[in-house]
Amino acid sequence: MKQALALSGQGLVTNQLEYHPYLDQHPLVSATREAGLAITAYCGMAVGRVFSDPLLRAIARRHQRGVAQVVLRWLVQQEGVVALSRTTLLDRLTENAAVFEFELTQNEMAAIATLVRPGSRIVNPPDLAPVWD
Ligand SMILES: NC(=O)c1ccc[n+]([C@@H]2O[C@H](COP(=O)([O-])OP(=O)(O)OC[C@H]3O[C@@H](n4cnc5c(N)ncnc54)[C@H](OP(=O)(O)O)[C@@H]3O)[C@@H](O)[C@H]2O)c1
């Protein structure tokens, strides 16, 4: 990101990164905010891992929401984060867009952040990925 910022003749708008409850992205999220860019999060569903998570399921039950909504809400409730999501089902598209009428508590936000586990990076193509921070 720093190289791209230095080399670009135009201002950059966003940094798109893998971001879900299991991957610690604190260094990159902070650096992206400091650089004045939006954070665009992909792989929020952690290739389906979120759907069987007991904590996420409990929070979803409490709010009478789906797990995907809880994850997307957790993302967009963080400063400067835009969440990408993808579905082949129209009903899920509507569900996934409906994350602006409820709010997670600070305790719930913090609890989701404790789900970070080593080795949770998903997108890591051998010939393309950098040495990660
Ligand atoms: N820059 C990069 O390297 C990179 C990498 C990956 C993705 N992306 C971008 O990110 C976008 C989003 O892709 P993603 O893989 O990150 O999407 P995602 O939303 O994390 O995961 C999509 C998967 O979750 C399922 N899903 C979505 N909503 C659901 C719901 N409400 N309930 C149950 N299952 C649900 C979908 O299945 P169904 O279709 O069956 O609903 C699909 O299998 C992509 O279009 C791409 O542009 C970028």
Side-chain angles (χ1 to χ4, degrees), residues 19 29 33 38-41 74-83:
Y19 196 16
V29 164
R33 282 193 189 121
I39 296 138
T40 302
W74 176 74
L75 287 167
V76 299
Q77 204 169 306
Q78 298 173 57
E79 182 196 336
V81 176
V82 176

Side-chain angles (χ1 to χ4, degrees), residues 13-133:
V13 173
T14 190
N15 188 3
Q16 190 177 138
L17 44 122
E18 177 181 335
Y19 196 16
H20 49 74
Y22 307 106
L23 182 63
D24 181 8
Q25 288 287 37
H26 274 99
L28 188 51
V29 164
S30 300
T32 303
R33 282 193 189 121
E34 277 162 29
L37 307 187
I39 296 138
T40 302
Y42 66 79
C43 273
M45 304 306 145
V47 287
R49 186 172 167 185
V50 297
F51 295 108
S52 56
D53 190 288
L55 174 73
L56 297 172
R57 289 168 71 105
I59 293 173
R61 258 197 314 277
R62 197 178 304 143
H63 287 272
Q64 296 184 296
R65 296 278 171 173
V67 167
Q69 289 178 311
V70 168
V71 171
L72 292 170
R73 180 67 211 183
W74 176 74
L75 287 167
V76 299
Q77 204 169 306
Q78 298 173 57
E79 182 196 336
V81 176
V82 176
L84 293 183
S85 80
R86 171 176 64 83
T87 178
T88 53
L89 302 178
L90 204 52
D91 285 351
R92 286 182 178 167
L93 184 67
T94 308
E95 177 191 337
N96 293 359
V99 296
F100 299 102
E101 311 92 358
F102 77 104
E103 219 174 301
L104 298 173
T105 65
Q106 282 313 306
N107 282 348
E108 288 167 339
M109 292 292 288
I112 295 171
T114 68
L115 293 175
V116 161
R117 294 288 177 277
S120 293
R121 189 179 295 282
I122 296 161
V123 180
N124 199 15
D127 299 327
L128 186 64
V131 176
W132 299 103
D133 293 333

